[in-house]
Amino acid sequence: MIKEEKFTFIKTDKKIIKLHFDSIAIIKGLGNYVQIITIENIKHTYYKSLKDLIDVLPNEFMRVHNSFIINLTNIDSIEDNHIIAKGNKITIGKTYKDCLTTAINKFML
């Protein structure tokens, strides 16, 4: 199971690259593909659905919208129903808001 690992390999642009989970800021769904956006704002396109991906990602990853998975460790702020993560603004989907709030509350002081 991938969950205990700190990195993974993905096939993108005809090569296999190593990605550290803590360097992933956002994963955006593009139909049967996902776009993985790193904290350095490097984008990798990968053949996998968001639904399949969320099942194998570590616990710090959470679905926050039909089209987005976010790495909770890379959230800079949350304003109204938007997440700001490494310069990207993501809308929080209504169906995911309660789950996100519960997850965030675990880290509140």
Side-chain angles (χ1 to χ4, degrees):
M1 194 53 114
I2 286 181
K3 292 185 190 287
E4 289 79 36
E5 301 299 330
K6 297 189 184 319
F7 63 89
T8 189
F9 289 94
I10 64 167
K11 189 173 186 175
T12 180
D13 298 328
K14 298 182 181 163
K15 61 185 171 192
I16 296 173
I17 61 165
K18 181 179 180 182
L19 264 182
H20 288 270
F21 289 123
D22 59 3
S23 73
I24 298 172
I26 299 164
I27 302 172
K28 179 180 181 181
L30 305 167
N32 290 331
Y33 288 84
V34 293
Q35 184 177 61
I36 297 172
I37 303 168
T38 67
I39 55 176
E40 298 88 15
N41 212 27
I42 298 167
K43 297 173 179 161
H44 303 287
T45 304
Y46 178 53
Y47 185 73
K48 193 93 152 167
S49 71
L50 280 181
K51 185 180 180 306
D52 292 341
L53 208 51
I54 195 67
D55 293 336
V56 295
L57 286 168
N59 293 334
E60 62 265 23
F61 287 87
M62 178 173 253
R63 188 108 181 235
V64 295
H65 187 276
N66 283 343
S67 301
F68 291 99
I69 294 172
I70 192 102
N71 185 340
L72 296 176
T73 60
N74 289 321
I75 291 176
D76 296 318
S77 63
I78 299 173
E79 305 167 18
D80 299 322
N81 66 330
H82 291 92
I83 292 171
I84 310 300
K86 305 302 174 201
N88 297 281
K89 191 173 186 178
I90 308 295
T91 301
I92 301 167
K94 286 183 180 132
T95 54
Y96 302 99
K97 190 163 181 88
D98 288 344
C99 195
L100 176 66
T101 302
T102 301
I104 294 295
N105 284 340
K106 290 178 187 172
F107 296 99
M108 297 283 270
L109 290 177

